[in-house]
Amino acid sequence: MLIPFCALLILSLGCNLFTKLMQQKPSPVSTVAPTLPAPPQPALVNPGTPEDQAVYFADLVEVPETRLAGWLGIYDALAIPVIGQDGKSLGTTDDDPIGPRYWQIWYASGLDKKGRGIRLSDAGRLLAAGTSEIDGGAMGPALLNDLKRAVGSNDPQVRLLGMFVRERIKRWPSGRDVRADGLTAEETIIDLPTLQMIAWVVSRNVLFKAASSAKDIGATRAPATLSLATFQASRGNPAAQLPCSEKMGDADSTYWTNWLMNKVVAGGVQLPGMENAFTGLVEQIQKSMQVSDNLIKKTSATTTNLNIASVLLSLLLQVAAMEINPSQDPEPLKRTNNTNRGGEGKIVLQLYSAPGNIPDGNKLGACMGSVLSNWFGVSFSLPAEGPIAGAEMTVSGGAGFPDLVLFNTEGTNSMRRWTGSDGVAQYKLYGAPQKRDLPSTAKEVKKEFSVHVKAQPEEAGLNSMLNIFFGGLTFGAAPSKAGGFGSAIDIAKGFQYDMGEYFFNMTDWQSKGYRATGRTADVVYSGVICSLDKPFTVIGTYAFGSVSFDFVPSSATSGTAGYSVSPGGVKLTGSGIYTIEGVDSETPKILWSLSMNMSAPGASRSHGGTAPIDLVPLETDECK
């Protein structure tokens, strides 16, 4: 059995959230699917390096107006066919049936929420679900290692894949770079539509390798060929099909098998470039499959599990689309200007269902009901529009923790609460004490702090937000398929899902001036700076004496600076731009990039460098 494929594509839609059934009864979803919008033209690949192309596609899929075209474009660039409602590829990949349906890409792009994702470690556990031969703990690291290899591949197509996934992960809450040393799958968050794409890459690779294995061990007899026209006719008139619930049953299995036998076993086709992608995952899955020449059974099992996985994947996207309404009391939170504990406050998170706020939200729900009804004989109800009660949400400190803000639970950086009947969960916190008493001249400054909201932490109890959705499923006409679907649901319930980062306002205090400190190899910095908005001077002390560095701000965080001095007949000059890092922190720093020149009778020399100058807030009223 190819159970890992189910996991692979569950991963595609990533997983989890919070808790307990709503107190209000969910509304049933129509099983009559809507007419999908016509697919846009897939975005074309721009000239340039794979790195440039990856950024281009990542930019496209972030914008609602270009998101769908961007996803169709990246699939096409990776030679993965997206099958339209007429059974034909929407891109440039011809005569290749093994790819997602258009409705799946439309569905995923429509529910793509910024900051929502799943850990790679949970993805690995999904890959191993139901297969004792695979170590679930090893699959997450295998996926991460495959991504590391992909970004360094010499194959431009594989490199584009790796770079695109890398770019998406960098833009998600974990902000990690897959190339970083010491990175773990546990700390890396990836979005769901990107996981869907990875799943298809791996699934196609496994099928191609299965077909190649059949070829190598002497499977020379292929089934009778089935043309694309015959395949389409065997499924009836595509226009008469429900547009987002056509079945991928025996017809697809037969067509895929014939295509693989005739194109791969017969030696006619290889995966362009992509056969070298995700080799670690493919190898582990192949071991559990015990690949043989019985390609028909392998393909049929793959098709069945892709059915289950793609539906669960789509349901989990609906879960991911839940909305959070953040607020705080008081607004803003206020910190003291001394070493005493700051003002107390609370952040309020309301969890609610609002399909009308999602573009095509009601159509997406109807599409899901259609798919479940027609594929699995399962009826489905979305949560009713409005607040969601009994859901478990965990927040952890983000920006500003613990320097500016602390939770009102000693020694912890996270809090877990359950939503009430109004869908609201509250988390108490307070302003952190200053590290030192600030002078009376310190001024108020506006700052922000943030919390990361996660759902379904591993230590969660019986309540789960997935119950809100899956409690509305009624298994009906297809008990065997529904049973497989139900076991996949149980797997998904133990995972952690990232719901994004939420920012709040606070009032802090900042000393009116700074003392310049620090040194490089041959200069020591000193001086008092009463304002970063007005011209100021820093003194540099060398072995031969001191030099005044004159800074002219263009803003509170940047400007230009220069100097000129002539010790002993040698003229020394320097100039360049500077920026100030961490101006809102306790340890700001001037980074001055300058070009330096030395001239003397009969000789001259030029070089460049960066001068780092530390700024320490004044503890006295020197600037009063």
Side-chain angles (χ1 to χ4, degrees):
M1 284 292 290
L2 295 184
I3 296 294
F5 281 116
C6 175
L8 251 172
L9 282 177
I10 296 173
L11 161 129
S12 192
L13 245 259
C15 313
N16 314 52
L17 275 331
F18 336 106
T19 36
K20 196 186 170 194
L21 265 165
M22 291 178 53
Q23 294 179 357
Q24 47 193 315
K25 187 176 180 180
S27 303
V29 174
S30 170
T31 58
V32 178
T35 300
L36 301 188
Q41 187 71 25
L44 299 177
V45 182
N46 275 353
T49 64
E51 291 88 339
D52 296 335
Q53 294 167 354
V55 172
Y56 164 72
F57 279 118
D59 288 342
L60 285 179
V61 300
E62 280 192 347
V63 180
E65 292 76 15
T66 58
R67 183 179 290 154
L68 184 52
W71 279 114
L72 293 175
I74 186 66
Y75 272 85
D76 197 41
L78 300 177
I80 303 172
V82 176
I83 309 302
Q85 293 170 236
D86 59 357
K88 299 177 182 177
S89 172
L90 298 179
T92 58
T93 305
D94 296 325
D95 191 28
D96 184 341
I98 304 175
R101 305 303 175 91
Y102 166 60
W103 78 262
Q104 293 173 292
I105 307 303
W106 169 77
Y107 194 101
S109 68
L111 289 174
D112 187 16
K113 302 287 289 184
K114 182 68 176 176
R116 311 288 173 89
I118 184 176
R119 301 179 299 184
L120 288 187
S121 55
D122 281 342
R125 291 164 55 202
L126 278 172
L127 292 172
T131 307
S132 58
E133 292 85 355
I134 298 180
D135 177 10
M139 293 297 277
L143 174 55
L144 183 57
N145 289 334
D146 283 344
L147 288 172
K148 288 178 180 289
R149 283 192 289 266
V151 298
S153 174
N154 293 324
D155 186 303
Q157 198 173 50
V158 175
R159 190 172 177 86
L160 169 59
L161 167 65
M163 285 294 177
F164 176 77
V165 177
R166 170 179 176 258
E167 188 68 23
R168 290 286 280 179
I169 290 175
K170 282 175 60 181
R171 299 184 187 195
W172 243 241
S174 63
R176 299 295 196 265
D177 187 336
V178 297
R179 295 187 297 190
D181 294 335
L183 183 67
T184 67
E186 186 75 19
E187 60 186 321
T188 307
I189 305 295
I190 190 168
D191 67 284
L192 307 184
T194 300
L195 290 174
Q196 181 182 38
M197 182 188 72
I198 290 174
W200 276 102
V201 172
V202 177
S203 300
R204 283 166 54 82
N205 281 359
V206 172
L207 278 177
F208 269 71
K209 289 184 181 295
S212 298
S213 175
K215 169 187 175 182
D216 293 340
I217 60 178
T220 57
R221 185 179 176 214
T225 59
L226 180 66
S227 70
L228 183 59
T230 304
F231 166 66
Q232 292 172 355
S234 72
R235 298 167 62 218
N237 180 6
Q241 298 280 339
L242 288 173
C244 58
S245 62
E246 59 266 53
K247 295 183 179 182
M248 292 172 58
D250 292 338
D252 272 18
S253 297
T254 303
Y255 186 50
W256 286 12
T257 304
N258 276 283
W259 189 85
L260 287 164
M261 294 293 278
N262 284 291
K263 298 295 184 180
V264 183
V265 176
V269 168
Q270 286 186 331
L271 279 174
M274 301 305 294
E275 63 183 334
N276 296 318
F278 300 110
T279 53
L281 295 183
V282 171
E283 286 173 3
Q284 293 202 43
I285 293 171
Q286 277 188 293
K287 289 177 183 177
S288 72
M289 288 168 53
Q290 299 179 348
V291 174
S292 70
D293 60 343
N294 199 343
L295 184 59
I296 296 174
K297 286 186 178 180
K298 300 297 181 186
T299 308
S300 177
T302 301
T303 309
T304 299
N305 285 293
L306 282 172
N307 279 342
I308 295 173
S310 61
V311 173
L312 183 58
L313 166 157
S314 302
L315 270 175
L316 292 171
L317 270 179
Q318 279 281 359
V319 176
M322 291 294 92
E323 296 286 348
I324 292 178
N325 179 32
S327 62
Q328 65 181 127
D329 182 24
E331 160 68 39
L333 181 68
K334 197 163 186 176
R335 194 180 181 195
T336 61
N337 61 358
N338 51 49
T339 55
N340 295 325
R341 175 170 165 158
E344 294 194 356
K346 60 185 175 184
I347 57 175
V348 180
L349 303 179
Q350 183 187 42
L351 181 70
Y352 64 98
S353 173
N357 291 351
I358 305 167
D360 289 325
N362 292 318
K363 285 187 177 181
L364 291 165
C367 183
M368 195 67 260
S370 170
V371 170
L372 285 166
S373 175
N374 286 279
W375 280 13
F376 294 100
V378 172
S379 61
F380 172 60
S381 294
L382 281 171
E385 184 168 354
I388 297 177
E392 181 181 9
M393 295 192 293
T394 297
V395 300
S396 57
F401 282 83
D403 292 336
L404 304 179
V405 183
L406 293 167
F407 285 120
N408 199 14
T409 49
E410 199 67 33
T412 65
N413 193 43
S414 66
M415 295 180 71
R416 188 171 71 196
R417 296 290 184 269
W418 286 262
T419 59
S421 59
D422 54 359
V424 168
Q426 300 183 9
Y427 307 83
K428 293 183 178 181
L429 37 73
Y430 62 92
Q434 301 286 347
K435 290 183 173 60
R436 65 182 70 84
D437 289 338
L438 299 180
S440 60
T441 54
K443 60 182 180 180
E444 288 188 357
V445 290
K446 295 179 179 179
K447 293 185 180 180
E448 285 186 329
F449 67 94
S450 70
V451 296
H452 295 281
V453 182
K454 297 187 185 299
Q456 192 72 20
E458 290 182 348
E459 69 273 14
L462 297 177
N463 291 338
S464 163
M465 186 172 173
L466 291 186
N467 290 337
I468 296 170
F469 277 76
F470 300 133
L473 294 178
T474 303
F475 296 102
S480 59
K481 291 184 180 179
F485 183 45
S487 62
I489 291 171
D490 291 336
I491 293 167
K493 287 184 178 180
F495 288 27
Q496 186 178 95
Y497 197 86
D498 199 301
M499 287 291 289
E501 185 176 14
Y502 296 85
F503 286 84
F504 302 90
N505 297 319
M506 76 172 303
T507 298
D508 195 10
W509 299 86
Q510 190 174 75
S511 175
K512 197 171 181 179
Y514 299 92
R515 188 176 304 281
T517 66
R519 66 179 301 155
T520 56
D522 54 356
V523 60
V524 176
Y525 303 105
S526 63
V528 172
I529 303 169
C530 290
S531 174
L532 296 173
D533 298 310
K534 298 177 181 179
F536 60 90
T537 298
V538 173
I539 303 300
T541 302
Y542 292 83
F544 59 79
S546 62
V547 180
S548 293
F549 302 135
D550 298 317
F551 289 78
V552 180
S554 56
S555 72
T557 58
S558 64
T560 59
Y563 67 90
S564 179
V565 65
S566 300
V570 177
K571 186 174 183 179
L572 303 174
T573 60
S575 63
I577 61 173
Y578 74 88
T579 59
I580 300 177
E581 290 188 348
V583 69
D584 290 333
S585 72
E586 295 284 343
T587 56
K589 181 190 296 288
I590 297 174
L591 294 178
W592 182 18
S593 299
L594 69 161
S595 298
M596 295 167 280
N597 301 285
M598 179 188 72
S599 60
S604 64
R605 178 186 172 191
S606 299
H607 65 285
T610 299
I613 304 172
D614 295 326
L615 300 178
V616 177
L618 293 177
E619 298 182 19
T620 60
D621 291 344
E622 295 179 55
C623 291
K624 188 172 182 180

